[in-house]
Amino acid sequence: MKKLLLSLVAVSAFAFTTQAQTEQGKFMIGGNVELNTNKVSGAKKTDFNFAVIPSVGYFVSDNFAVGTGIGYSYAKVYNTTASIKSNAFEVSPFARAYKGISDEFKFFGQLSVPMTFGNTKVGDVEGNNMVKTGNNNQVGVALSPGFAFFPSKKIGIEFSVRGISYNDNRLENADGDKIGGSKNFSVGANFFAPKLGVQFYL
């Protein structure tokens, strides 16, 4: 009987430690940073993409949180005839589910709806003489797998990639009239463009 009680206590303690960071009623505050580069054959310079998205979430049940991120993204792309620069404000509501595999590691899947509102400028092949050509607004849906490492109960370090995504991009001129756009659907994780993040669990 004594061994049974000790076993139950040990199992209960293990269950508590694995859920301590992501239990119902807790908040997570943090965000992620995305950085990637790419060189197009024949282009004068290397493409550069950067985004920083602070976020806040609330655990409505154990291992399940909802929240939103608000941040900024910047990109400069070069090809053989011109360069394109874009700046955008981003809002990204999300829902996230965790699955623990140990005290320190948990897998998660996040469904987000990123919306960006920005402008686009075009310049020469060197990236000079930039002129605003219009606005660039985008709405998308993304399912991102990842894992979190917990060096303590209140800190999580995250690594995630975009697995499945859909984006509807609308280009407008200075008067707000549509002048172009694109729609694309992507399946498959890009491990060469990861997102790194840190979350604080309170």
Side-chain angles (χ1 to χ4, degrees):
M1 186 67 176
K2 184 177 180 180
K3 289 183 178 181
L4 177 61
L5 288 174
L6 290 173
S7 297
L8 289 174
V9 170
V11 170
S12 298
F14 177 77
F16 175 78
T17 56
T18 55
Q19 293 186 8
Q21 306 94 339
T22 58
E23 64 187 4
Q24 184 177 3
K26 284 188 174 290
F27 285 90
M28 62 177 184
I29 300 172
N32 61 60
V33 175
E34 182 177 7
L35 174 66
N36 61 77
T37 60
N38 181 57
K39 179 69 182 292
V40 175
S41 178
K44 293 287 186 179
K45 295 183 179 181
T46 300
D47 297 347
F48 178 82
N49 294 273
F50 171 79
V52 55
I53 312 294
S55 64
V56 60
Y58 176 75
F59 285 90
V60 295
S61 63
D62 289 351
N63 295 316
F64 184 78
V66 295
T68 190
I70 300 175
Y72 170 79
S73 62
Y74 170 88
K76 199 164 187 180
V77 179
Y78 299 87
N79 57 42
T80 56
T81 59
S83 60
I84 302 172
K85 182 171 72 173
S86 62
N87 298 274
F89 172 75
E90 180 171 334
V91 179
S92 184
F94 67 85
R96 177 186 289 195
Y98 286 86
K99 178 65 176 179
I101 57 175
S102 72
D103 289 356
E104 292 84 16
F105 290 94
K106 290 187 179 186
F107 286 114
F108 65 83
Q110 177 169 301
L111 179 66
S112 59
V113 184
M115 296 172 283
T116 60
F117 310 93
N119 61 68
T120 302
K121 296 181 179 181
V122 176
D124 60 28
V125 293
E126 296 284 350
N128 302 316
N129 305 314
M130 306 298 291
V131 177
K132 182 178 178 180
T133 57
N135 299 316
N136 184 357
N137 301 321
Q138 182 172 287
V139 177
V141 179
L143 180 61
S144 305
F147 71 86
F149 166 62
F150 294 92
S152 72
K153 291 181 180 180
K154 293 188 176 182
I155 299 176
I157 300 171
E158 301 176 352
F159 173 90
S160 65
V161 293
R162 181 167 294 184
I164 302 174
S165 64
Y166 170 80
N167 291 290
D168 185 350
N169 189 27
R170 177 187 173 95
L171 299 177
E172 301 174 345
N173 61 21
D175 296 324
D177 300 321
K178 183 176 180 179
I179 57 174
S182 63
K183 297 180 180 181
N184 63 77
F185 177 75
S186 176
V187 178
N190 183 358
F191 292 98
F192 295 101
K195 293 183 179 181
L196 298 177
V198 176
Q199 299 284 353
F200 296 91
Y201 296 80
L202 307 174

